[in-house]
Amino acid sequence: MDDAPALALAPCAVLPEHQGRGAGSAAIRAGLDAVRDLDENLVIVLGHADYYPRFGCHPGLPVRRAEAPDDTFLALPLATSHPTPTGLVR
């Protein structure tokens, strides 16, 4: 983000025949828990605007990506002990 590294949660995909059983949600929660254990304070995700907010991800933070529509570029601040990074994601 700008000149600093940032963590990204890649879009999660589950084969259609296995969807609706919680596998994707479990993978995302496990990934976010691992990030919290690292004391990171921001995760960004380019993904479905109706899916990722259930994990606390939302648009509207001062984080942006030039090529992404605002409703699909989401962020999740994690640690309140330091300021949330801001800037352009490349």
Side-chain angles (χ1 to χ4, degrees):
M1 186 174 320
D2 287 335
D3 293 327
L7 295 176
L9 175 65
C12 183
V14 176
L15 292 171
E17 62 267 22
H18 298 290
Q19 291 177 358
R21 299 181 190 168
S25 294
I28 291 168
R29 284 190 181 95
L32 292 175
D33 287 345
V35 168
R36 285 183 184 98
D37 290 344
L38 296 173
D39 196 35
E40 295 290 341
N41 63 341
L42 183 70
V43 174
I44 55 174
V45 61
L46 179 61
H48 200 282
D50 292 333
Y51 183 76
Y52 289 95
R54 72 181 74 182
F55 306 102
C57 301
H58 54 85
L61 289 175
V63 175
R64 62 199 183 287
R65 183 171 185 250
E67 305 85 29
D70 287 342
D71 65 340
T72 63
F73 189 68
L74 311 160
L76 173 61
L78 297 171
T80 58
S81 58
H82 18 257
T84 300
T86 62
L88 179 65
V89 176
R90 298 184 238 288

